[in-house]
Amino acid sequence: MSNSEEDFNFAYLDEQTKRMIRRALIKAICIPGYQVPFASREMPMPYGWGTGGVQVTAACLQETDVLKVIDQGSDDTTNAVSIRKFFERVAGVKTTENTGKASVIQTRHRIPEQVLSEDQILVYQVPIPEPLRFLEPRETETRVMHALEEYGLMHVKLYEDISINGEISTAYAYPVKVNDRYIMDPSPTPKFDNPKMNFCPAIQLFGAGREQRIYAVPPYTKVISLDFEDYPFEASRAEKTCEICGATNTYLDEVVIDDKGTRMFSCSDSDYCNSRKS
Amino acid sequence: MTNPLPFFQDQSKDAARAFRIALKAMAMPGKIQNFQVIDGLPTPLSIAGATLILVFCDFNTKIFLGETFRNKNVEDWINFYTGAKISGDKNVDFAVGHIEEVLPFHEFPIGTDEYPDRSANIVIENTSNDVKSFSINGPGIKETLHVDLPEKIIERESAISFPLGIDIFLTKENLVMGLPRTTIVET
C-alpha cells in the first residue's frame, strides 16, 4: 500500500461510475457474448491504450487483489507497465508478473499460456467489440443481426478467405460463438488462443472504451471458433521452437535482433517463458 | 445526535468487495457466496439484499419493493444511501421481495431482442422457506449441481426466452446465490 494516492477514490473511478459499470458487467455475465452498452468515461490515457479494460479493472478491483497486466503476452512492454503503475498508484493494489499469483489479469491481445483458475478474472482490452463491424458498418444493422442470429455474413467472410487464400486466413480476432448464441470478437488475440476461452475456469470480461461496450464469458462456458466441416478451425502458431526456453507448444513472437535482419523466435508470454527458463 | 444509518464501513472498498462476491455469484450459479455483515439494517431487509442494493442501485435505478418491504425504515434507508426511485409498478431495473411478492416474473422487464440487457435483476429474499431440490446446468456450472431452491422458482421459465429474461439473486441473511437467465433449472 506504499505509494497509493490518497486524494483519489479507490481505483480512480468515482462510485457512481463504478456502479454503472458493475450493472453492465452483471448483465454481460448473464448474457454471455452479448455487447452491453455502457457510459464509458474518459481515462487518463488515450483511446487504444486500454481505456475499456482499465475501466472494467477499476470497477472490479478490491483491496486484496494482486494485479497482472500483459501487453501481447509480455509484462514489460509500455502499455503493460503504464497500466500496472497506474493501478499501483490509484488503488494501492499489489502487482505481479506471475500468472499463477494474480487474481485479476488485464490483457492486451493474449491469453496466458498457463491454465487459469476459478479465482481469477481475465480482463481484455478491446478495440472493436463488434465482430460484424467490418462487414456491416451500421450499428443499427448489426444490433438487428445479433437479435435475429443472422450470422450468414460472417460465414461468407470466412468462405471468401478460403476462396482467395486456400485456407481461413483470419489469424487474429477470429470470431467465436458463445453459449451457442452470440457471435463474439475475442479481441485481437491470435487464433492460437481461441481454444483457451472454451470452458475456461476464469471469468472473462471484455471492455471497449471508445466503442462503449462491455461483454463477458462466464466460467465453464462453451466458446467455439467458427469454421466449416471441410475447413476445420486450426489454432495455428509459427512452427518453431522458442530460442530462450525451448518451448514447442507456445505462441511465438518473431523478433528482429540486429541490423542485418537476423530473426529469432521466442515465447510471447514472458512470464511463462521465464518460468521455464529458471 | 442520532446514529448514522447502517452502511458499509468504507464505501469504496467494501462496495468493491461486495461487487466481486455478487459477480462471482452470477458467474457461478448455484454456489453460495457470503457478504460481509452489516449490523442494524432496517427489517425485513437481509444483509445480502441490502448489500446488493448498495452495490447496484443509485439515482439511475428504479426499485420495486415487495409488500412486506414497503415500510418507512426500508424506504428511508434506500433513499438516503442510493437515491433510487422506489416504484409501485414493475417496470424497474431492480426488485426486492419474497418470492410470492415478485411473482409472476414475466411482469418485470425481460429486455428487447436488440437490447436484452434492459431487463430486471430480481432479489428473492429469505429463500429458505418451501425449498425443493433442483438440478441446475448452464454457463458457469462445471458439472450438474443439485441445489435447494424455492419451489416456485420454476415459474421463471415464463419470463425467459434466451437471450431475453430476468436474472435472479437468491438471498438469506448474508448469503447470496445467483441464478442468471442462462441457468437451466430441472426437477
Side-chain angles (χ1 to χ4, degrees), chain B residues 21 33-38 46-49 172-176:
Chain B
I21 290 163
Q33 315 286 342
N34 51 330
F35 287 118
Q36 197 177 2
V37 172
I38 305 174
S46 72
I47 294 164
K172 187 198 166 193
E173 292 155 13
N174 69 328
L175 308 176
V176 63

Side-chain angles (χ1 to χ4, degrees), chain A:
Chain A
M1 313 288 120
S2 49
N3 49 3
S4 95
E5 295 260 351
E6 291 298 317
D7 295 339
F8 281 103
N9 191 30
F10 174 72
Y12 188 77
L13 294 173
D14 59 281
E15 289 304 297
Q16 206 272 321
T17 298
K18 285 191 199 166
R19 272 191 297 272
M20 175 272 294
I21 295 172
R22 287 166 181 164
R23 286 196 290 266
L25 284 169
I26 280 289
K27 284 301 171 197
I29 280 287
C30 293
I31 317 167
Y34 164 76
Q35 301 162 51
V36 184
F38 81 112
S40 177
R41 301 294 195 246
E42 294 221 358
M43 297 302 283
M45 58 190 71
Y47 288 131
W49 281 69
T51 54
V54 165
Q55 289 178 78
V56 170
T57 300
C60 284
L61 271 188
Q62 50 180 344
E63 221 180 352
T64 49
D65 271 324
V66 180
L67 179 70
K68 172 183 164 82
V69 186
I70 49 174
D71 169 9
Q72 305 274 10
S74 169
D75 292 278
D76 348 295
T77 45
T78 318
N79 198 196
V81 172
S82 62
I83 292 173
R84 195 162 59 229
K85 285 254 158 72
F86 175 73
F87 281 116
E88 278 173 2
R89 189 163 159 194
V90 300
V93 291
K94 288 200 188 107
T95 55
T96 182
E97 296 190 0
N98 185 322
T99 304
K101 286 189 179 143
S103 54
V104 177
I105 303 171
Q106 182 170 332
T107 175
R108 174 175 176 272
H109 312 351
R110 269 317 303 282
I111 300 173
E113 304 288 356
Q114 186 178 329
V115 176
L116 302 176
S117 79
E118 282 184 10
D119 295 320
Q120 293 179 306
I121 295 180
L122 186 59
V123 178
Y124 295 73
Q125 300 173 199
V126 182
I128 308 284
E130 178 50 73
L132 303 165
R133 182 60 68 235
F134 292 108
L135 308 172
E136 169 52 66
R138 288 167 295 182
E139 170 68 12
T140 46
E141 286 298 307
T142 53
R143 280 266 145 198
V144 174
M145 289 162 80
H146 282 293
L148 300 177
E149 224 176 331
E150 179 55 67
Y151 293 136
L153 204 54
M154 188 53 98
H155 279 99
V156 171
K157 193 240 173 202
L158 296 177
Y159 172 76
E160 283 182 348
D161 264 14
I162 296 170
S163 64
I164 294 166
N165 303 305
E167 57 175 4
I168 300 179
S169 53
T170 303
Y172 64 93
Y174 192 104
V176 292
K177 193 165 214 178
V178 181
N179 190 32
D180 295 323
R181 179 56 179 82
Y182 283 101
I183 284 192
M184 184 185 94
D185 184 344
S187 84
T189 50
K191 67 177 170 183
F192 175 80
D193 284 338
N194 277 20
K196 295 178 192 158
M197 304 180 81
N198 185 34
F199 232 63
C200 174
I203 296 175
Q204 301 176 77
L205 306 174
F206 299 76
R210 177 180 41 209
E211 301 292 322
Q212 312 193 315
R213 295 291 184 274
I214 280 171
Y215 51 103
V217 177
Y220 308 116
T221 299
K222 195 168 156 192
V223 180
I224 300 299
S225 304
L226 300 183
D227 62 358
F228 299 100
E229 270 174 31
D230 48 347
Y231 284 89
F233 171 79
E234 223 181 313
S236 59
R237 62 183 286 278
E239 294 298 330
K240 303 273 183 187
T241 303
C242 170
E243 287 177 38
I244 297 173
C245 76
T248 55
N249 58 345
T250 58
Y251 190 75
L252 300 175
D253 284 339
E254 187 178 10
V255 190
V256 178
I257 51 172
D258 62 20
D259 291 347
K260 295 178 187 115
T262 315
R263 283 140 204 270
M264 72 177 272
F265 285 88
S266 66
C267 294
S268 112
D269 185 335
S270 58
D271 174 59
Y272 185 79
C273 196
N274 285 336
S275 72
R276 283 174 46 87
K277 212 171 46 177
S278 47

Side-chain angles (χ1 to χ4, degrees), chain B residues 95-99 102 105 122-127 150 153 168-172:
Chain B
V96 180
H98 295 123
I99 188 156
V102 291
F105 292 127
I122 299 178
V123 178
I124 300 177
E125 288 270 65
N126 195 16
T127 41
I153 200 76
I168 294 172
F169 287 106
L170 298 157
T171 58
K172 187 198 166 193

